[in-house]
Amino acid sequence: MNEPYEHRELEELMREMLAQDAYTIQPAPAPYPAIRRRGLAERRRRVAVTGAALAALAAVPVGAYAVNGGGGGRGADTAAPHPSVSATHDRTASPSPAPDGPARPATKGQLLDGITFEQAADGLKECLRAEGGHAGGARDLGRAKDYRIVLALRSTGDSNSPGDGFNVVAVKEKPAGFRVVCTLEDGVASGISVSSSDAGPPDAGPVLPDVNGGKLYQQSFIDKGHWKLPFRWGVIGTVEPSVAKVTVSYGDSRTTAVLDGEWFVAAGTLNRQVTLAPHIKGYDTAGKLVYDSDTDSTYQRTLP
């Protein structure tokens, strides 16, 4: 079937027009200069942001920053803070007693007036060092670990030895009956007294008061009748195994002594002036009186 004339004429006209415009109609060129300028600007912006971030990170101390997770929590690679110097000191401010220290007393009641075992042990070490550990020391009394502390109590100064402090009594098994009384003032050894039961009389009874124990229960004879009151006093001595109880009366106070091994230890507080030494009595397991200092010819009943 022949195509109508007017359709063929229209088709030919359109082909001719397309052929003529093929070389004149071109797509608009891409704006390369504008695109390049935008790219350079964006690159400079990213470089600036990255540089600022690095500078901020460099300003944070090592170990002090934290990396947060997406939920605001602490990240897995958060740096842990370093321990402070004070924490280190806190861990070492209060160390365990050294293995070369003395043994503890039989009861806590033998450490009086708030004196701790550590303070008493340090005081004993200081006295032993002062007595024989330094050049020119009078004598070597051994090491602190050779002793057992049996009493610690405050000391009252007097005209002969001014200044308050505390006394530590420690005993040593070899030689048997050996003891030291150490006096400290402001942590410094101010005197040490040494005694031994070997110095007692050969016919000593089952209870033997320390022959030089007056250091613990009397003030200077210079102040006789004018002692500083109240006065903390102590009495020590040795006992035989048959002794089950020891009592001590002194002025207006009376107490039952602690039996610590072969030693008896007593303490109290004096509130009035005295002229007589402590009155000591010992009893056996049946409650029988086996010692009375009032009948002991070797015991000095009157204070100097």
Side-chain angles (χ1 to χ4, degrees):
M1 182 174 180
N2 293 332
E3 186 177 359
Y5 174 78
E6 56 273 18
H7 287 178
R8 290 197 305 269
E9 185 178 15
L10 180 59
E11 182 179 349
E12 290 175 357
L13 178 61
M14 292 184 67
R15 288 179 178 177
E16 182 180 355
M17 289 176 64
L18 290 171
Q20 290 176 357
D21 290 341
Y23 299 100
T24 60
I25 300 174
Q26 296 179 358
Y32 289 115
I35 293 174
R36 184 173 184 274
R37 286 194 300 270
R38 290 179 61 184
L40 291 175
E42 180 66 17
R43 183 179 179 184
R44 285 194 296 268
R45 186 186 68 81
R46 291 181 180 180
V47 170
V49 171
T50 303
L54 290 174
L57 184 59
V60 180
V62 175
Y65 67 91
V67 178
N68 292 330
R74 181 168 177 167
D77 55 349
T78 300
H82 294 290
S84 64
V85 173
S86 61
T88 302
H89 283 202
D90 290 343
R91 290 195 296 269
T92 59
S94 302
S96 301
D100 61 344
R104 292 178 178 271
T107 68
K108 293 182 179 180
Q110 292 164 248
L111 302 174
L112 304 172
D113 306 318
I115 302 169
T116 66
F117 173 73
E118 288 73 20
Q119 290 174 322
D122 289 343
L124 175 62
K125 292 178 183 179
E126 173 64 22
C127 285
L128 294 177
R129 282 194 298 265
E131 186 67 17
H134 298 161
R139 51 199 160 171
D140 183 3
L141 300 178
R143 298 167 295 180
K145 72 175 185 177
D146 299 330
Y147 291 82
R148 184 176 78 261
I149 291 176
V150 296
L151 181 63
L153 71 172
R154 70 174 183 269
S155 64
T156 302
D158 53 40
S159 297
N160 187 53
S161 180
D164 295 340
F166 69 92
N167 289 318
V168 176
V169 183
V171 298
K172 191 177 182 182
E173 302 305 323
K174 296 180 181 180
F178 183 83
R179 68 95 181 126
V180 297
V181 176
C182 173
T183 303
L184 296 110
E185 296 176 4
D186 297 325
V188 179
S190 63
I192 188 168
S193 170
V194 180
S195 185
S196 174
S197 58
D198 292 343
D203 57 346
V207 178
L208 180 62
D210 192 289
V211 292
N212 295 313
K215 179 181 179 69
L216 292 172
Y217 62 78
Q218 64 187 41
Q219 295 183 30
S220 172
F221 69 90
I222 301 175
D223 300 323
K224 186 174 183 178
H226 302 282
W227 284 7
K228 293 181 181 179
L229 301 174
F231 172 58
R232 170 65 86 181
W233 59 266
V235 173
I236 58 174
T238 57
V239 292
E240 293 182 352
S242 59
V243 176
K245 180 181 178 181
V246 174
T247 62
V248 180
S249 300
Y250 192 32
D252 54 355
S253 59
R254 183 177 185 276
T255 186
T256 298
V258 173
L259 301 183
D260 188 342
E262 65 174 317
W263 294 86
F264 75 89
V265 180
T269 300
L270 194 64
N271 292 293
R272 65 176 175 84
Q273 304 295 329
V274 292
T275 58
L276 297 178
H279 185 193
I280 304 169
K281 293 182 178 181
Y283 303 84
D284 62 13
T285 55
K288 178 183 177 181
L289 179 67
V290 293
Y291 175 82
D292 189 335
S293 61
D294 279 353
T295 60
D296 184 352
S297 60
T298 65
Y299 183 73
Q300 187 174 358
R301 297 179 59 248
T302 305
L303 294 174

